[in-house]
Amino acid sequence: MNIVILLGAPGSGKGTVAGKLAADNANLKHVSSGDLLRGAVAKGTEAGQQAKAFMEAGKLVPDELIATMIKDVVAETTGDVTMLLDGFPRNLAQAKILDDMGAPVKSAVLIDVPDEIIQDRIAGRRTCPKCKAGYHVKNLPPKVDGICDVCGAALTIRKDDNPETVKDRLVVYHQQTEPLIAYYKDKGILKAVNGMTGISTVAAEFLKVM
Ligand code: AMP
């Protein structure tokens, strides 16, 4: 098992690209910290109850809370698998937790999208609450308006995708997550792809550089 970290602002396409790559390649596994947390909130677990208010405010949940979930997934992933780790680490403390776990991080790939584009991308984002497939009203519409192509569930808008919360999430990204670019650059494992070229091209570029 080894790990490829996806870096990039909210709305840069991390989940879409990782989801596509995992669907197309049997040895790639998409692990999204946001999906793990949303799952815990939906189930009403202790961790979910703790995480809920942070997530709705666009703030990071406490490091230990998400790190415990990631540790469990890392421990249960074995064999000839590359884990596409989407949304973790989100700050330097989490990057160090991952290092201390002895997790075999092969590379960190930045999906580069300018801030001006992010608001528009997130405003059009729709998600399937059941199978987690992602859509965009303009860039990646479902075949039937409002309905998931994969499982037929009604698509929803994430609670934290409203414009006010997105602004806060971008501030958090620049202050806390962006320093990871330098962190992985110093380790010599940083790669980058242009996030503005369309999903198939971004996914193909990602696969090449990772
Ligand atoms: P995402 O789906 O990656 O955009 O994450 C949605 C929300 O989940 C974030 O705004 C945070 O509140 C929380 N979250 C996801 N990953 C992490 C993480 N690694 N550390 C702290 N909070 C996180």
Side-chain angles (χ1 to χ4, degrees):
M1 196 275 277
N2 58 28
I3 295 177
V4 171
I5 293 166
L6 289 100
L7 291 176
S12 59
K14 299 186 298 295
T16 308
V17 167
K20 179 176 169 46
L21 289 172
D24 294 348
N25 300 274
N27 63 334
L28 299 181
K29 172 175 172 171
H30 177 201
V31 174
S32 154
S33 57
D35 283 349
L36 291 174
L37 288 163
R38 281 183 289 275
V41 171
K43 278 197 206 131
T45 65
E46 172 92 40
Q49 286 172 31
Q50 282 177 34
K52 194 167 187 264
F54 292 100
M55 296 174 74
E56 284 177 3
K59 302 263 187 306
L60 296 184
V61 309
D63 293 336
E64 277 310 320
L65 196 160
I66 181 63
T68 304
M69 292 183 177
I70 297 294
K71 270 181 200 161
D72 289 345
V73 186
V74 168
E76 75 197 19
T77 308
T78 52
D80 183 19
V81 176
T82 295
M83 182 186 293
L84 302 175
L85 191 50
D86 159 16
F88 187 95
R90 209 62 159 238
N91 58 29
L92 287 169
Q94 293 180 9
K96 291 190 179 118
I97 292 173
L98 196 61
D99 288 347
D100 292 345
M101 272 187 235
V105 178
K106 182 170 92 159
S107 59
V109 184
L110 171 68
I111 303 182
D112 207 8
V113 173
D115 264 16
E116 314 83 82
I117 309 292
I118 293 291
Q119 285 279 357
D120 180 54
R121 281 218 184 163
I122 292 188
R125 182 147 82 172
R126 300 291 181 271
T127 320
C128 176
K130 216 167 148 195
C131 76
K132 313 294 170 220
Y135 299 88
H136 188 280
V137 290
K138 273 187 293 185
N139 306 338
L140 184 64
K143 292 196 184 90
V144 179
D145 199 24
I147 302 293
C148 178
D149 291 352
V150 183
C151 74
L155 300 179
T156 53
I157 300 178
R158 272 172 51 173
K159 246 187 179 166
D160 60 350
D161 273 353
N162 67 79
E164 278 314 306
T165 312
V166 169
K167 266 188 213 147
D168 293 338
R169 286 164 64 203
L170 276 171
V171 170
V172 169
Y173 173 73
H174 289 303
Q175 286 178 350
Q176 302 198 45
T177 310
E178 226 165 32
L180 293 176
I181 296 173
Y183 183 79
Y184 289 111
K185 196 172 186 183
D186 285 349
K187 284 181 180 283
I189 57 170
L190 181 77
K191 323 272 170 173
V193 296
N194 176 359
M196 296 296 295
T197 54
I199 297 153
S200 303
T201 313
V202 179
E205 281 294 303
F206 192 102
L207 196 59
K208 220 187 317 172
V209 303
M210 75 179 218

